[in-house]
Amino acid sequence: MTQTRKTTAEKLGEGSLYLFMIVIAVVTLYPFWNQVVTSISDESTLYNTGVVLFPSKLSFESYHVIFQYKAIWSGYGNTILRTILGVSLSLTFTALFAYPLSKQDLPFNRTITSFVLFTMLFSGGLIPNYLLVKNLGIFNSIWALVLPSMISAFNALIMRNFFRSIPDSLEESARVDGAGYFFIFRKIIVPLSKPVIATVALWIAVQHWNAWFDALIYITDPKKQVLQVVLRKIIVDNNMDQLNAMLYQLDQKDMFSTRQLQATVIMFSVIPMLAVYPFVQKYFVKGVMIGAVKG
């Protein structure tokens, strides 16, 4: 096979592209790395230099303090519960909704799809959603954070398109053997749809893990508040009264700066997503490409 040699202009173009991507990666990753270094640095050496790439003296005492902060753990528990319920219910009902839409012979298929697309462009707004949650009797409960966003039109269309990419011959042969639609969906469609299921599950999990506005509106009990609202009070509102009171009780008030504790809380909140992402990354590209292009 003949190999075409790259011209000087092509080599310079590739080199410039790689350099540009490296710069973008550094600019993107440095703020995150800065929070990591800040959270594990000793407070006495934290402000010695303007730009800190590596901690001059390691210290994990700030994590030890955060571990004893009860509001963090209650927020963690509520967020984990919300994420598990949200992913489970959203995946189940979105898949059950998308599977019939993937059938061309479904009565009023185009009409139903048009209604789904309509909800992507227009919504009821904040006040009707608030009144709906209140009248349903789920105000100040975990269901107020899970049920309103249980089915996403975008996720349903992605899953519908992926289901359409599965050969019809598989379902036809199963129906010949006497299998019903629910059996086909559970035994054939779901196992073959792992890429799109993993992709949508990651989207839903990240959405619920990072969500804070709905919890700020619908949850009034501090014990039921999610982690992101606790994080927002510490970082955005700079409300560290409870954290400072705990430091006074531990006689460690002068050992940590506000910036260091905020960085530690940030790292503490993103660790679960960093741990989960590598396990679903292999499905991500395939699930998005097939679900977005097919159909």
Side-chain angles (χ1 to χ4, degrees):
M1 296 178 63
T2 59
Q3 294 182 352
T4 58
R5 294 184 177 180
K6 296 180 180 179
T7 63
T8 304
E10 290 176 338
K11 292 180 180 179
L12 289 175
E14 283 190 3
S16 300
L17 181 61
Y18 284 128
L19 180 62
F20 176 74
M21 295 305 297
I22 290 173
V23 172
I24 294 296
V26 170
V27 172
T28 304
L29 293 176
Y30 176 73
F32 176 78
W33 178 248
N34 179 262
Q35 296 301 308
V36 175
V37 173
T38 302
S39 65
I40 61 176
S41 296
D42 186 79
E43 201 275 335
S44 60
T45 62
L46 189 59
Y47 299 100
N48 290 343
T49 57
V51 179
V52 179
L53 295 178
F54 299 98
S56 57
K57 186 178 179 181
L58 284 175
S59 175
F60 295 94
E61 288 298 321
S62 59
Y63 285 91
H64 178 70
V65 169
I66 294 301
F67 285 161
Q68 301 181 61
Y69 187 35
K70 294 182 179 179
I72 291 289
W73 286 111
S74 64
Y76 234 112
N78 294 328
T79 300
I80 291 174
L81 177 61
R82 171 184 182 166
T83 304
I84 293 175
L85 285 175
V87 172
S88 302
L89 293 175
S90 293
L91 272 183
T92 301
F93 286 95
T94 301
L96 290 174
F97 177 66
Y99 178 60
L101 286 181
S102 67
K103 304 304 175 186
Q104 299 286 358
D105 56 349
L106 176 71
F108 308 106
N109 191 315
R110 291 183 177 272
T111 303
I112 297 174
T113 303
S114 299
F115 277 116
V116 174
L117 292 173
F118 182 83
T119 62
M120 296 178 63
L121 303 175
F122 304 96
S123 64
L126 179 61
I127 295 177
N129 288 335
Y130 181 88
L131 294 176
L132 177 63
V133 169
K134 187 175 181 179
N135 291 332
L136 287 175
I138 58 176
F139 193 81
N140 199 31
S141 71
I142 192 68
W143 301 111
L145 310 179
V146 174
L147 294 182
S149 60
M150 189 168 61
I151 297 181
S152 167
F154 178 79
N155 293 340
L157 293 178
I158 291 292
M159 297 188 78
R160 182 205 68 163
N161 294 341
F162 190 96
F163 292 156
R164 283 186 175 180
S165 68
I166 299 175
D168 294 334
S169 57
L170 294 175
E171 296 188 44
E172 291 173 359
S173 62
R175 283 199 295 269
V176 169
D177 292 335
Y181 280 109
F182 279 103
F183 183 87
I184 293 173
F185 175 76
R186 184 166 53 91
K187 293 294 185 178
I188 298 177
I189 302 300
V190 171
L192 293 176
S193 303
K194 288 182 181 179
V196 74
I197 290 175
T199 302
V200 173
L202 178 63
W203 289 346
I204 297 172
V206 172
Q207 171 194 344
H208 280 289
W209 190 269
N210 291 333
W212 60 272
F213 186 68
D214 54 352
L216 192 65
I217 296 175
Y218 301 138
I219 304 298
T220 57
D221 188 352
K223 295 181 180 180
K224 298 180 180 179
Q225 203 54 267
V226 297
L227 178 63
Q228 301 305 327
V229 174
V230 178
L231 185 66
R232 183 180 183 275
K233 290 180 180 179
I234 295 175
I235 297 176
V236 179
D237 299 340
N238 201 23
N239 185 359
M240 301 185 63
D241 294 340
Q242 294 181 357
L243 191 56
N244 289 332
M246 187 191 70
L247 290 175
Y248 274 118
Q249 292 179 358
L250 298 175
D251 197 21
Q252 294 179 326
K253 180 63 179 69
D254 298 328
M255 293 180 59
F256 307 100
S257 64
T258 300
R259 176 188 170 192
Q260 186 177 18
L261 292 175
Q262 289 175 345
T264 305
V265 172
I266 292 174
M267 293 308 305
F268 197 59
S269 65
V270 301
I271 287 175
M273 289 296 104
L274 294 178
V276 169
Y277 182 78
F279 295 98
V280 296
Q281 183 182 11
K282 61 180 179 180
Y283 300 111
F284 192 80
V285 175
K286 183 179 179 182
V288 172
M289 290 300 295
I290 295 181
V293 175
K294 293 288 182 178

